Amino acid sequence: MKVLLLVVLTVWSNFGCGFSYSCSHSPSTWCSSLNSAIECGVLKQCLETNFTRSRQTEDPVHVALYYESLCPGCRNFLVGMLVPTWIMLQDIMDVSLVPFGNAVEKFDGKKYIFECQHGDEECLGNMIEACLMNMTEAAPEIIFCMESSPNVIKSAQACTSVYHPDLSFDSVMKCVKGDLGNQLMHQNAMKTKALNPPHQYVPWITINGVHTEDLQNKAMASLYTLVCSMYKGTKPEVCGGAQRHYRSYCRNE
Ligand SMILES: *[C@@H]1O[C@H](CO)[C@@H](O)[C@H](O)[C@H]1NC(C)=O
Ligand SMILES: *[C@@H]1O[C@H](CO)[C@@H](O)[C@H](O)[C@H]1NC(C)=O
């Protein structure tokens, strides 16, 4: 999934002036084969991305976000900081999203019942996102799309159809209402309860599994700087090592 985000950006930057092309593959599969890369006009970008990844040998910096689908602070961080950083630093960073946060769960003898801080709508949003993460590689883009929309829940279907056109939203809702969704949310509850120190608020961030006030503050101020500084391998160009000058303009003729 991460490959495609970069490709999307690169394609925009390359074809920004007079953008027009079409291909029959969904963005998440553009780089999956030579044919799709050629058909979608992104061969150069896919080869470059594959090459860069093959050189990144150190463990990526692992960022985990414990959040709630309707918490404004969570949405701001996810949309304004986490995903943009992930797009730029995909080669040295991986991300886990754990929607649950301050929710509580009870077992009624058959299944888990969830109560969410921002009500049933939020439980629904959390559950849709948990199911998407189980069902599609395009989940991060879909969740970004939902969280940046005015209505997180109402946008879910449209966001899914943009980023994973072949995935029926009915099957997502089947997960949401069924045993799978219940199990997935229970797993998120367990992950959240296992946090040490326990979370006191959301968004709650761990870096390589560790939460400290210092890491949280740095991540909230500039996750980009933090991930670049924590990566142990050769820093990629986007971390500001080598200077590169861009000289491509669209002139007004
Ligand atoms: C990029 O790498 C993947 C995984 O190694 C491979 O399957 C794919 O064919 C490569 N894409 C291109 C365009 O070479
Ligand atoms: C989806 O969830 C099921 C049940 O927890 C799990 O066995 C499976 O590995 C998950 N699949 C993915 C892709 O996360």
Side-chain angles (χ1 to χ4, degrees):
M1 99 81 213
K2 286 189 256 166
V3 172
L4 92 96
L5 287 171
L6 182 72
V7 170
V8 171
L9 279 192
T10 322
V11 169
W12 279 336
S13 66
N14 280 8
F15 297 90
C17 327
F19 178 75
S20 86
Y21 76 98
S22 68
C23 72
S24 61
H25 301 267
S26 97
S28 58
T29 61
W30 283 354
C31 286
S32 62
S33 75
L34 276 175
N35 282 347
S36 58
I38 291 166
E39 192 189 320
C40 299
V42 290
L43 180 61
K44 180 164 165 273
Q45 290 79 9
C46 290
L47 293 176
E48 277 175 8
T49 305
N50 273 5
F51 177 70
T52 318
R53 304 199 111 195
S54 71
R55 281 190 319 171
Q56 238 64 53
T57 49
E58 291 292 327
D59 287 342
V61 178
H62 187 80
V63 179
L65 175 68
Y66 295 79
Y67 72 106
E68 298 170 355
S69 61
L70 299 189
C71 138
C74 300
R75 296 178 63 184
N76 285 340
F77 179 74
L78 192 140
V79 170
M81 183 82 83
L82 180 63
V83 174
T85 302
W86 197 0
I87 292 170
M88 296 300 288
L89 301 181
Q90 55 173 320
D91 294 322
I92 61 165
M93 171 181 179
D94 63 43
V95 172
S96 304
L97 299 176
V98 186
F100 187 77
N102 300 321
V104 290
E105 71 166 2
K106 290 184 200 119
F107 192 63
D108 76 352
K110 282 192 196 135
K111 57 180 185 342
Y112 293 95
I113 311 281
F114 303 101
E115 275 174 32
C116 296
Q117 198 176 14
H118 302 88
D120 290 346
E121 284 269 289
E122 177 161 86
C123 285
L124 178 58
N126 291 350
M127 191 72 99
I128 292 172
E129 293 178 1
C131 284
L132 286 167
M133 285 188 257
N134 188 264
M135 297 176 77
T136 168
E137 297 257 303
E141 292 92 321
I142 301 172
I143 293 171
F144 174 81
C145 172
M146 289 168 64
E147 295 293 342
S148 58
S149 302
N151 189 315
V152 174
I153 312 289
K154 280 195 184 139
S155 63
Q157 181 160 10
C159 290
T160 302
S161 69
V162 169
Y163 289 103
H164 191 155
D166 302 336
L167 178 66
S168 92
F169 197 67
D170 285 348
S171 67
V172 176
M173 288 314 287
K174 211 167 145 187
C175 166
V176 165
K177 297 191 180 121
D179 291 342
L180 177 58
N182 206 257
Q183 279 304 316
L184 293 171
M185 194 51 64
H186 173 59
Q187 287 165 18
N188 287 350
M190 305 281 279
K191 283 184 200 161
T192 307
K193 273 178 213 154
L195 282 169
N196 182 16
H199 80 285
Q200 292 157 11
Y201 47 80
V202 286
W204 187 262
I205 298 156
T206 67
I207 308 285
N208 295 329
V210 176
H211 175 96
T212 64
E213 213 179 299
D214 183 49
L215 285 173
Q216 173 89 21
N217 289 340
K218 284 180 175 151
M220 297 290 285
S222 172
L223 184 64
Y224 196 106
T225 309
L226 180 65
V227 170
C228 279
S229 75
M230 289 193 67
Y231 182 65
K232 295 205 175 69
T234 313
K235 309 258 189 244
E237 204 173 324
V238 284
C239 283
Q243 293 286 327
R244 191 170 183 180
H245 204 106
Y246 292 92
R247 289 183 186 280
S248 166
Y249 301 101
C250 296
R251 292 201 184 279
N252 183 2
E253 289 169 40

